[in-house]
Amino acid sequence: MSFRMYIRVVSDALMPVDISNLLGVDPDEAHAIGSRKRPEYPPRSHTSWIREVESPVPGARPEDFTPVLLSWGDDFATALRGLTGREAATVSLVIVQEIRDIDSSAEKGIFLGAGLLAWLARAGAAIDIDQYIHHD
C-alpha cells in the first residue's frame, strides 16, 4: 500500500520564487514557466510549485497525513488562499494512491476528516486524487 500527498500550486503568471516569497516557504519541487521536462519537450506554459506532506509512519493512509498538513498552520492556508484570491494560481491537495493488492481492504478507500477539509477550504484548495492499480 502506498499513499503520497502534496500541496501543488500552479500558475501561468508567477515564477516559483514569487510563490515561495508570497507563501514564506520554499518548495520541495518546482518547475518554472519556460522550463522543459526534457530538451525535446516544449517549454512549460505554467509554473508548478510542490510541497510534500511527509509520511508520518510507514504505510501511512491519508488520515495519517492530516496532522502533518494541519501543523503547517492557518497562516500558510491563508497565504495559499491569497494566491487563489488574486486568480494568480490554483491550489490543490494531490493524493496519489498505488494499489498493489486489490483484495486488501487496507489499500481501499480514502478518508478525509472535517479538520482537513476545513483547512483546505481556508486555503482555497481543490482535491486531486490520482489512483494507480498494479495487477498481474
Side-chain angles (χ1 to χ4, degrees), residues 10 16 29 31 54-55 64 77 85 91 97-99 101 112 115 125 134:
V10 175
E29 178 183 334
H31 305 284
E54 295 294 326
S55 176
D64 299 322
V91 175
Q97 177 185 26
E98 292 190 36
I99 299 172
D101 180 357
L112 305 176
H134 304 277

Side-chain angles (χ1 to χ4, degrees), residues 7-104:
I7 292 290
R8 179 177 57 207
V9 178
V10 175
S11 176
D12 59 5
L14 299 171
M15 296 302 278
V17 68
D18 301 325
I19 295 169
S20 294
N21 288 339
L22 290 166
L23 296 177
V25 176
D26 288 327
D28 293 311
E29 178 183 334
H31 305 284
I33 297 167
S35 66
R36 296 174 189 261
K37 185 173 183 175
R38 301 177 86 180
E40 64 272 15
Y41 287 9
R44 296 175 197 268
S45 61
H46 62 272
T47 288
S48 180
W49 184 100
I50 292 172
R51 182 167 185 208
E52 295 280 342
V53 183
E54 295 294 326
S55 176
V57 294
R61 293 191 38 80
E63 54 269 25
D64 299 322
F65 286 88
T66 297
V68 176
L69 185 59
L70 295 181
S71 75
W72 294 355
D74 290 341
D75 289 344
F76 184 63
T78 301
L80 288 166
R81 167 68 79 166
L83 292 175
T84 65
R86 289 196 243 159
E87 297 181 16
T90 58
V91 175
S92 57
L93 172 67
V94 180
I95 302 170
V96 179
Q97 177 185 26
E98 292 190 36
I99 299 172
R100 299 190 184 282
D101 180 357
I102 358 181
D103 296 323
S104 169

